[in-house]
Amino acid sequence: MRRALCHTTAWEPLWWSVELSWWLARWWSVSHTDPPERVQSPRLCPELGGCIRYGVDTTAKLLLMSSGIRSRRLAHSIAASITTTDETTVESLREHLGEMSINTWRTRYDATSSELTDLLEFTRLRGRSLLKELLETNTITLELASTTGRTAMQSFELALRYDSSEPAPQSIGLYDRGTRISIVSTRDHSDIKAILDTGMDLEVGIDWNVTPATMIMSLSTS
């Protein structure tokens, strides 16, 4: 099987990148676990094998591509936009990207639909299911980043829906009589999409007694 792969032109780059990254990982393991007096070669960076496998040259790019971002071009663009000198982790990358909207990703990184889908999955908050919570408790709450042009003294006719003016994947907005007053965070997008796609009747309100204002979503009782 190995000989067939090595003599197949289409497989050669993939085979050798996997083979080389495996040997480098093995070399690192030996050089860092054996006693120093037995190590005859220079110690290697533990990320070198992964960088070769994914064709990247920084920790940020490696973390992105090994955590679900399939586009190397997108990983390069995101890494280039990071200016902090703090240590880069998956969580810090999720926080950095989760502060942006889908439209920001689309314009800043020139992201395609499939790349945006990867980013939505990457930034999704782990360890929860808002759909499950809604079905079990009948009500969920989400913080709103802003409520543009609206105040607590006004009356509302609220609805939660996709922004039809955008290409897929579309942002999910909170609308008052057809005017978008807020947008669902990209961290919450996948959970809210799962709820909207069920087609269940929902009632939406805003709690102004907390800061920031909070959206309240309940199953309709009518």
Side-chain angles (χ1 to χ4, degrees):
M1 182 63 176
R2 175 177 294 189
R3 178 172 297 177
L5 285 174
C6 287
H7 285 80
T8 302
T9 304
W11 278 92
E12 258 184 54
L14 175 61
W15 173 254
W16 282 111
S17 67
V18 173
E19 184 86 350
L20 181 57
S21 63
W22 185 89
W23 278 109
L24 286 170
R26 176 60 182 156
W27 186 6
W28 181 91
S29 176
V30 171
S31 67
H32 284 257
T33 55
D34 281 2
E37 60 272 13
R38 291 182 54 190
V39 177
Q40 302 298 319
S41 57
R43 293 182 182 269
L44 296 177
C45 167
E47 298 169 345
L48 183 57
C51 287
I52 291 175
R53 178 180 179 183
Y54 288 103
V56 296
D57 57 0
T58 68
T59 299
K61 297 171 191 177
L62 177 59
L63 290 173
L64 288 165
M65 295 204 68
S66 60
S67 301
I69 302 300
R70 293 170 292 177
S71 167
R72 187 181 295 110
R73 182 207 65 80
L74 179 60
H76 278 274
S77 296
I78 293 171
S81 71
I82 299 174
T83 58
T84 180
T85 57
D86 296 337
E87 180 183 2
T88 301
T89 64
V90 171
E91 287 308 314
S92 69
L93 288 168
R94 284 200 176 109
E95 183 177 354
H96 172 71
L97 291 166
E99 293 173 349
M100 306 177 197
S101 67
I102 292 177
N103 269 337
T104 300
W105 292 342
R106 188 178 279 120
T107 55
R108 180 173 298 182
Y109 304 127
D110 195 25
T112 64
S113 294
S114 62
E115 290 172 344
L116 291 170
T117 300
D118 285 351
L119 284 170
L120 286 170
E121 174 58 25
F122 179 76
T123 56
R124 176 181 59 84
L125 287 181
R126 268 54 179 175
R128 72 169 190 185
S129 170
L130 291 181
L131 175 57
K132 179 182 178 183
E133 183 181 342
L134 180 64
L135 293 173
E136 291 179 347
T137 66
N138 199 54
T139 301
I140 60 172
T141 60
L142 282 180
E143 291 184 357
L144 297 176
S146 63
T147 49
T148 307
R150 295 298 188 273
T151 67
M153 301 303 294
Q154 292 177 284
S155 60
F156 293 88
E157 296 177 12
L158 298 175
L160 199 62
R161 60 178 174 81
Y162 295 105
D163 188 336
S164 59
S165 67
E166 299 179 4
Q170 299 164 327
S171 302
I172 300 174
L174 181 62
Y175 290 80
D176 175 27
R177 290 175 282 251
T179 300
R180 192 171 77 179
I181 63 172
S182 189
I183 190 170
V184 172
S185 164
T186 49
R187 300 185 188 96
D188 302 318
H189 181 98
S190 295
D191 276 311
I192 298 301
K193 180 180 185 299
I195 293 172
L196 293 181
D197 289 353
T198 65
M200 295 186 295
D201 291 332
L202 303 168
E203 296 178 355
V204 183
I206 297 178
D207 182 359
W208 295 98
N209 296 318
V210 294
T211 303
T214 299
M215 178 180 70
I216 305 170
M217 182 189 299
S218 304
L219 295 175
S220 178
T221 56
S222 58

